[in-house]
Amino acid sequence: MVGTTSSGSSSTSNENLGHVVFITAAAAIGGFLFGYDSAVINGAVTGIQKHFGIGAAETGVVVAIALLGSAVGAWIAGGMADRWGRTRTMQVAAILFAVSSVGQALPFAVWDLALWRVLAGVGIGMASVIGPAYIAEVAPAAYRGRLGSFQQLAIVLGIAVSQLVNYGIAQFAGGNVNNTLFGLQAWQWMLGACVLPAALYLIFASVIPESPRYLIAAGKTQRARKVLAEVESDDTDLDSRIAEIKKSLHTEQRTRLRDLRGPALGLLPIVWIGILLSTFQQLVGINVIFYYSASLWQSVGINQSNSLLISFSTSIINIVGTFIAIALVDRIGRKPLLLIGSTGMAVALATAAWAFSAGVPSGENVTLPATQGAVALVAAHVFVLFFALSWGVVVWVLLGEMFPNRLRAVALSVAATAQWLANWLITVSFPSLAEWNLSATYVIYACFAALSFAFVVFKVRETKGRKLEEMG
């Protein structure tokens, strides 16, 4: 593969790899928007509650309703990608991001804000499907794990930048997200800022090449040959690669949901594994940290400005863990990383549950003793680290590569839809569960982390180093 050719062609191979890295990074801007638009609500939650005068249940609905839109976006993205192409679907997602960002910044009622968040969610769901599929289809097998990790790296960068922007806007507004800046409250500027990266995503999605596998499926073999020549190593037999892809696509029949039917409760076993991977990724409660951490830390006695800063520090830990995963995913494999992550998350979540159990009621909030407060902060950061170096990256890599070529786009849509529904369930339930018993809530998440370990041991197959045409 790339980088293994003779010295006479190594420079060309490096150029090819550089081109693949560029188009992969460009496609991963959708992941950046996915992370940014998902997590930006974290800094705005308190402002929305005060501005509209809503309680915990209504807050959970407003925050989580975007995830129902994400489920819809993930569901339709596979079919759109097979009919219109991967890059055209990216362009549609970028437009949805931009329009919904403006709408979220200018709501006149809480239900209006919720509708714009649904539209944003559709864009997020589409990006969650099309990014991994596109990257897997243009990346050489030897580099696919690391390049596939770009999606999660972009997501965590988007999360971190959103928290930094939130903190900056809050500081500029005097430390209160309900203060006014240029005619709008600070939280409105937080939600509207996503329009800038959305425009960038639209530009890049308009210039990167289409997936060679989509082009071959659409009968555009010459265009596919040109793209393959740009992304494969110089010693690759292009005719052989095209024939291999055609064989795997098998008559180029457009895949429909009925093609996923199988003997395992109505679906193929590989589809169920994708669904459960996606579901476990969310049931450990990771997005509680990214959607509610600012209000969570405020609820245990930390002021608004510092809680936003802690949220940013958590995002930095998330980035560090993602880089660790990128370094290891093609070296030690997907399955070992998942097992390491499940173990670390279970321990960290159980520790956080113990710390929160020491909470003492203080007005509307809870105060933690100094020791337990420090333990809770450390445990939350350790949890994020183990998630980022394992499930955060590896699930997206696996979803992009584990399905047979003919089924990939639609099967990935189904798995991603399940992920968004699980995300919605955790997100909408957390405010009410936290009011009931914060410690018990974290015990539940710890149990799911432990169950994920058993699932990986018995059901997940290693895909390290295998060609996409070998999957299935």
Side-chain angles (χ1 to χ4, degrees):
M1 295 306 294
V2 178
T4 63
T5 57
S6 64
S7 59
S9 62
S10 60
S11 62
T12 305
S13 295
N14 289 335
E15 289 173 7
N16 286 2
L17 180 57
H19 181 65
V20 173
V21 169
F22 168 76
I23 62 178
T24 298
I29 295 175
F32 180 91
L33 283 167
F34 168 1
Y36 191 103
D37 218 351
S38 296
V40 71
I41 193 68
N42 187 11
V45 166
T46 302
I48 292 169
Q49 285 179 312
K50 293 180 179 178
H51 182 75
F52 293 111
I54 57 177
E58 295 93 336
T59 300
V61 170
V62 171
V63 173
I65 200 167
L67 304 174
L68 295 180
S70 297
V72 173
W75 185 263
I76 66 176
M80 291 177 63
D82 282 340
R83 285 191 296 271
W84 299 353
R86 280 49 167 161
T87 55
R88 182 62 57 85
T89 305
M90 291 181 198
Q91 293 166 16
V92 173
I95 291 170
L96 292 177
F97 277 126
V99 172
S100 63
S101 297
V102 176
Q104 288 182 81
L106 303 171
F108 52 82
V110 69
W111 65 264
D112 176 49
L113 173 62
L115 289 178
W116 287 115
R117 285 190 53 71
V118 171
L119 187 63
V122 174
I124 293 171
M126 291 174 64
S128 73
V129 169
I130 198 62
Y134 178 86
I135 292 170
E137 290 177 352
V138 299
Y143 292 89
R144 195 174 58 239
R146 277 166 282 182
L147 293 174
S149 301
F150 275 30
Q151 172 78 357
Q152 180 64 16
L153 177 60
I155 291 171
V156 300
L157 286 173
I159 291 170
V161 171
S162 73
Q163 302 312 302
L164 185 59
V165 170
N166 283 353
Y167 177 72
I169 291 174
Q171 291 299 104
F172 196 55
N176 190 317
V177 297
N178 290 104
N179 288 347
T180 300
L181 289 172
F182 307 110
L184 299 177
Q185 292 188 8
W187 65 267
Q188 294 175 271
W189 286 108
M190 292 175 181
L191 297 179
C194 189
V195 70
L196 297 178
L200 188 64
Y201 185 38
L202 180 61
I203 292 170
F204 276 103
S206 302
V207 300
I208 60 177
E210 183 53 83
S211 158
R213 287 174 176 80
Y214 166 76
L215 292 172
I216 290 173
K220 301 175 182 179
T221 305
Q222 290 306 311
R223 283 182 60 190
R225 178 187 295 273
K226 180 180 179 182
V227 177
L228 285 169
E230 295 172 347
V231 301
E232 295 282 355
S233 60
D234 291 338
D235 59 350
T236 298
D237 183 338
L238 296 182
D239 289 330
S240 176
R241 286 292 291 127
I242 290 171
E244 186 178 28
I245 293 171
K246 283 184 176 180
K247 182 179 178 180
S248 72
L249 291 170
H250 191 62
T251 75
E252 290 81 41
Q253 177 181 334
R254 181 174 293 161
T255 307
R256 294 176 173 83
L257 287 172
R258 64 171 175 263
D259 296 313
L260 303 183
R261 291 175 183 168
L265 298 177
L267 292 174
L268 294 169
I270 191 67
V271 178
W272 275 117
I273 291 172
I275 289 171
L276 289 171
L277 274 170
S278 291
T279 302
F280 273 120
Q281 189 198 52
Q282 297 304 315
L283 293 181
V284 296
I286 186 62
N287 281 313
V288 166
I289 298 291
F290 297 125
Y291 298 162
Y292 292 114
S293 63
S295 57
L296 172 63
W297 298 125
Q298 289 172 51
S299 73
V300 293
I302 296 173
N303 66 41
Q304 188 177 112
S305 181
N306 286 340
S307 69
L308 291 171
L309 194 58
I310 291 171
S311 296
F312 175 64
S313 71
T314 305
S315 299
I316 297 300
I317 296 295
N318 198 17
I319 294 172
V320 171
T322 300
F323 275 113
I324 294 172
I326 291 172
L328 296 178
V329 66
D330 281 326
R331 295 182 182 179
I332 70 173
R334 286 64 161 151
K335 191 168 180 174
L337 277 181
L338 290 177
L339 294 173
I340 291 168
S342 294
T343 302
M345 289 190 299
V347 173
L349 288 166
T351 303
W354 169 81
F356 288 132
S357 69
V360 178
S362 177
E364 296 181 358
N365 297 323
V366 173
T367 300
L368 292 180
T371 299
Q372 282 82 354
V375 169
L377 280 172
V378 172
H381 284 75
V382 171
F383 166 55
V384 170
L385 177 64
F386 274 95
F387 176 86
L389 65 81
S390 59
W391 285 77
V393 166
V394 176
V395 169
W396 290 113
V397 172
L398 283 173
L399 291 181
E401 66 186 10
M402 66 186 286
F403 301 114
N405 270 343
R406 189 174 64 88
L407 304 177
R408 180 169 300 107
V410 173
L412 211 163
S413 288
V414 171
T417 300
Q419 182 174 133
W420 289 114
L421 290 174
N423 193 345
W424 171 82
L425 177 63
I426 293 296
T427 304
V428 76
S429 63
F430 176 75
S432 298
L433 285 173
E435 278 195 340
W436 163 65
N437 191 317
L438 183 59
S439 178
T441 301
Y442 272 79
V443 169
I444 293 170
Y445 300 155
C447 289
F448 280 122
L451 287 172
S452 73
F453 183 94
F455 169 69
V456 173
V457 168
F458 294 108
K459 295 298 181 181
V460 176
R461 294 175 58 191
E462 183 59 71
T463 58
K464 172 188 171 185
R466 298 173 61 195
K467 291 182 179 180
L468 293 182
E469 287 68 39
E470 299 172 4
M471 304 298 178

